[in-house]
């Protein structure tokens, strides 16, 4: 068996564990499988000849892949704006997605989605997989104390802080569980026992067709209606919503609906069914307790009996060597100013125009404008695609110039010369005026635009 074959066999032995790590970090079977495969491609190129603990190293590479993806998701959410979250039509959850969500806990996955990327990584790796904080710190480029604080903040988000917000009683949580089980099984008699005779059901209009009222009164009326939604209830799990007992509907770990229950004297008096994206985001969701214990039990079954410690220091060194995104610029020697630029697996040439240089490629300012233009077009396309708008093509034209500060009405600086970039955006497609204006506003959220217009700190060191 060759070294490459041995490495492949070794990686496959850990694939189930790596998939479990990636799923808890990303919340999607498809994304988890992609992250594990990307980790394998990196590992296969560099080998593990100088690694003491292959499992720990594989976990490091996989976790870093997930961290990069979480950060990219966060950037996209910031670019698209909050109004895109939760608006996409829900495709039927694949069997594997449902099974994974059930094994981890739907409510836990919903809460994890609300953490920052660093909080999620610190919490999942430490609390679910027992990775020491020293190792997590190396992965996140933080101090161990900072990693502990990240996990602690995440833990408060997951479980809630009793000193800050109230918790439902054990009785109320049990009533919520009975309500959910009866809804899932179509047990009408069990529902009638826990519903107040004059129970009120309210539902956001986005969740029901026009012929169904957004408000309904009466236990028997609700029970009859519940027959229509037994399938939806099967994707539910009891959770704590704004300090009270409630239910999270997240078939594959992605939040779709919240049911907030008002319980008094052992009966449910109000059922508030929430589906509006803004309302979903405004509700504080924490675990009811049992979901987290189930997640830990699942983790213990999926984690190999191999220590993680002692490998993340070398992991950090290797990651810095070949996982950090970098652009390298080197003189080609074929011209006075001709440069070869390496960005990941891409290579291209930059140069100064004639007569200063040989004009073998774009000049440095052209590259800056190209980055802004590409980012602008991608950002607009991303938003239009998400909204389903008829945008056929985006064309961005940019020009750079130096102008006197006194000629810039929008600038705070009044003396000297300043850089000015003029950007023209052409949107081709059957868009109405409101859609066009919205896309022009979205262009301002391009990450490169935000970088160029914010304070940037550049460190320079000799190597």
């Amino acid at each position: 068996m060759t070294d490459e074959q041995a490495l492949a066999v070794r990686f496959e032995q850990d694939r189930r564990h790596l998939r479990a790590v990636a799923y808890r970090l990303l919340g999607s079977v498809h994304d988890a499988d992609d992250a594990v495969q990307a980790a394998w491609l990196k590992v296969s190129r560099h080998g593990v000849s100088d690694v003491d603990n292959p499992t720990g190293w594989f976990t490091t590479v996989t976790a870093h892949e997930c961290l990069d993806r979480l950060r990219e998701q966060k950037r996209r959410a910031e670019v698209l704006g909050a109004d895109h979250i939760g608006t996409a039509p829900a495709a039927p959850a694949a069997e594997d997605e449902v099974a994974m969500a059930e094994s981890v806990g739907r409510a836990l996955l919903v809460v994890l989605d609300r953490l920052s990327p660093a909080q999620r990584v610190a919490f999942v790796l430490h609390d679910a997989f027992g990775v020491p904080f020293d190792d997590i710190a190396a992965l996140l480029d933080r101090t161990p104390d900072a990693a502990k604080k990240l996990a602690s903040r995440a833990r408060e988000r997951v479980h809630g802080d009793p000193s800050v917000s109230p918790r439902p009683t054990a009785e109320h949580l049990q009533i919520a569980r009975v309500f959910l089980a009866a809804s899932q099984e179509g047990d009408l008699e069990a529902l009638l026992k826990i519903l107040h005779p004059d129970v009120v059901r309210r539902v956001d209009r986005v969740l029901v067709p026009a012929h169904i009222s957004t408000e309904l009164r009466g236990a028997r009326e609700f029970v009859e209606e519940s027959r229509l939604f037994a399938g939806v209830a099967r994707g539910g799990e009891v959770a704590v919503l704004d300090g009270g007992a409630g239910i999270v509907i997240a078939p594959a770990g992605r939040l779709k609906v919240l049911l907030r229950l008002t319980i008094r004297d052992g009966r449910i008096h109000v059922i508030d069914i929430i589906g509006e994206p803004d309302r979903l985001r405004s509700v504080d969701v924490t675990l009811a307790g049992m979901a987290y214990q189930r997640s830990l039990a699942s983790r213990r079954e999926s984690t190999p009996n191999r220590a993680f410690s002692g490998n993340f220091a070398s992991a950090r060194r290797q990651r810095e060597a070949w996982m950090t995104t970098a652009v390298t610029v080197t003189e080609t020697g074929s011209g006075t100013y001709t440069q070869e630029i390496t960005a990941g697996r891409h290579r291209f040439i930059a140069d100064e125009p004639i007569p200063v240089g040989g004009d073998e490629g774009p000049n440095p300012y052209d590259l800056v404008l190209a980055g802004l233009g590409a980012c602008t077009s991608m950002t607009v396309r991303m938003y239009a695609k998400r909204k389903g708008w008829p945008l056929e093509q985006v064309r961005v034209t940019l020009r750079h110039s130096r102008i006197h500060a006194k000629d810039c009405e929008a600038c705070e600086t009044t003396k000297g010369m300043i850089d000015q970039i003029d950007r023209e955006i052409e949107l081709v497609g059957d868009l109405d005026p409101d859609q066009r204006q919205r896309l022009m506003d979205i262009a301002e959220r391009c990450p490169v635009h935000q970088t160029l217009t914010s304070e940037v700190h550049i460190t320079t060191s000799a190597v």
Side-chain angles (χ1 to χ4, degrees):
M1 183 182 295
T2 65
D3 290 343
E4 290 79 8
Q5 291 172 329
L7 177 61
V9 170
R10 185 68 177 77
F11 191 89
E12 285 303 314
Q13 291 173 350
D14 284 331
R15 185 178 287 272
R16 181 170 177 265
H17 157 70
L18 299 174
R19 192 175 191 243
V21 172
Y23 180 72
R24 284 159 178 78
L25 289 175
L26 297 174
S28 159
V29 169
H30 175 75
D31 290 344
D33 287 340
D34 278 354
V36 172
Q37 189 60 25
W40 160 245
L41 293 175
K42 286 184 169 67
V43 167
S44 64
R45 286 199 299 267
H46 297 272
V48 291
S49 58
D50 57 346
V51 174
D52 296 330
N53 179 0
T55 296
W57 174 232
F58 297 159
T59 304
T60 303
V61 180
T62 301
H64 195 279
E65 279 292 322
C66 295
L67 180 62
D68 285 346
R69 290 164 191 255
L70 288 170
R71 286 171 172 164
E72 179 60 26
Q73 289 172 10
K74 184 174 184 294
R75 283 193 292 268
R76 288 183 180 180
E78 291 171 349
V79 166
L80 294 177
D83 57 351
H84 87 284
I85 300 174
T87 59
E95 184 177 337
D96 198 17
E97 289 277 6
V98 173
M100 287 289 279
E102 288 178 347
S103 70
V104 173
R106 296 183 179 92
L108 177 59
L109 289 170
V110 168
V111 180
L112 290 177
D113 269 346
R114 298 184 171 198
L115 302 179
S116 72
Q119 286 176 342
R120 185 165 186 168
V121 169
F123 174 76
V124 168
L125 290 184
H126 181 267
D127 283 36
F129 294 95
V131 179
F133 281 121
D134 286 349
D135 300 342
I136 295 171
L139 176 67
L140 295 175
D141 286 330
R142 308 285 182 96
T143 65
D145 285 344
K148 288 179 182 179
K149 289 179 182 178
L150 286 169
S152 177
R153 293 191 190 103
R155 212 171 287 119
E156 289 178 2
R157 294 285 302 275
V158 170
H159 301 291
D161 185 349
S163 65
V164 176
S165 58
R167 297 280 294 179
T169 65
E171 178 192 19
H172 285 189
L173 289 174
Q174 182 57 28
I175 290 173
R177 293 187 183 102
V178 172
F179 173 81
L180 177 60
S183 300
Q184 292 171 334
E185 298 165 7
D187 190 340
L188 308 187
E189 292 301 318
L191 282 173
L192 288 172
K193 288 180 181 179
I194 59 172
L195 294 175
H196 188 274
D198 296 321
V199 65
V200 178
R201 184 275 290 148
R202 301 188 184 97
V203 61
D204 287 345
R205 172 53 66 194
V206 297
L207 294 176
V208 293
H211 69 275
I212 295 181
S213 173
T214 57
E215 184 170 307
L216 177 142
R217 292 179 178 269
R220 291 200 173 274
E221 288 78 3
F222 176 81
V223 166
E224 286 301 316
E225 182 187 69
S226 69
R227 298 172 186 265
L228 303 174
F229 306 109
V232 175
R234 293 190 184 99
E237 184 173 294
V238 172
V240 178
L241 309 182
D242 289 334
I247 293 169
V248 168
I249 305 294
R254 300 296 185 184
L255 180 60
K256 303 299 180 187
V257 180
L258 293 174
L259 277 71
R260 191 158 46 193
L261 307 177
T262 301
I263 303 172
R264 295 191 299 270
D265 303 322
R267 294 287 187 98
I268 299 175
H269 286 249
V270 179
I271 304 166
D272 187 12
I273 306 175
I274 301 169
E276 287 281 359
D278 287 341
R279 293 191 69 202
L280 288 175
R281 287 190 294 274
S282 70
V283 177
D284 181 52
V285 182
T286 58
L287 299 194
M290 294 178 65
Y292 184 60
Q293 295 301 322
R294 181 171 70 253
S295 174
L296 289 181
S298 174
R299 180 265 295 178
R300 285 191 289 269
E301 292 174 2
S302 65
T303 304
N305 294 321
R306 302 185 185 96
F308 290 98
S309 300
N311 192 65
F312 277 65
S314 62
R316 182 176 186 175
R317 290 192 296 271
Q318 290 201 30
R319 176 170 57 81
E320 289 173 348
W322 54 266
M323 293 185 70
T324 303
T325 301
V327 174
T328 303
V329 181
T330 308
E331 289 186 323
T332 64
S334 61
T336 306
Y337 299 109
T338 309
Q339 311 288 321
E340 181 182 66
I341 301 173
T342 302
R345 60 186 180 87
H346 306 286
R347 287 181 172 81
F348 49 96
I349 297 297
D351 201 351
E352 287 289 349
I354 297 173
V356 177
D359 201 22
E360 295 295 326
N363 68 47
Y365 276 106
D366 289 340
L367 295 174
V368 172
L369 296 182
L372 175 60
C375 179
T376 300
S377 179
M378 292 174 184
T379 300
V380 170
R381 169 59 62 191
M382 190 185 303
Y383 191 86
K385 182 179 180 182
R386 184 75 186 186
K387 288 292 189 180
W389 291 351
L391 177 63
E392 296 176 8
Q393 187 181 48
V394 183
R395 185 179 296 110
V396 183
T397 304
L398 303 106
R399 299 176 182 84
H400 169 259
S401 60
R402 296 275 291 171
I403 65 171
H404 290 283
K406 63 181 181 181
D407 296 329
C408 178
E409 296 180 359
C411 298
E412 296 180 4
T413 304
T414 58
K415 297 181 180 179
M417 303 290 289
I418 62 171
D419 290 278
Q420 175 169 306
I421 295 176
D422 296 307
R423 177 173 55 182
E424 298 175 355
I425 303 173
E426 181 181 356
L427 305 174
V428 181
D430 188 19
L431 300 162
D432 63 40
D434 289 341
Q435 291 171 337
R436 289 182 179 276
Q437 184 57 53
R438 181 58 176 159
L439 291 177
M440 293 297 289
D441 293 339
I442 288 297
E444 301 288 315
R445 297 184 183 177
C446 155
V448 174
H449 176 110
Q450 294 178 355
T451 297
L452 291 173
T453 55
S454 63
E455 183 177 353
V456 178
H457 180 60
I458 300 175
T459 60
T460 303
S461 58
V463 293

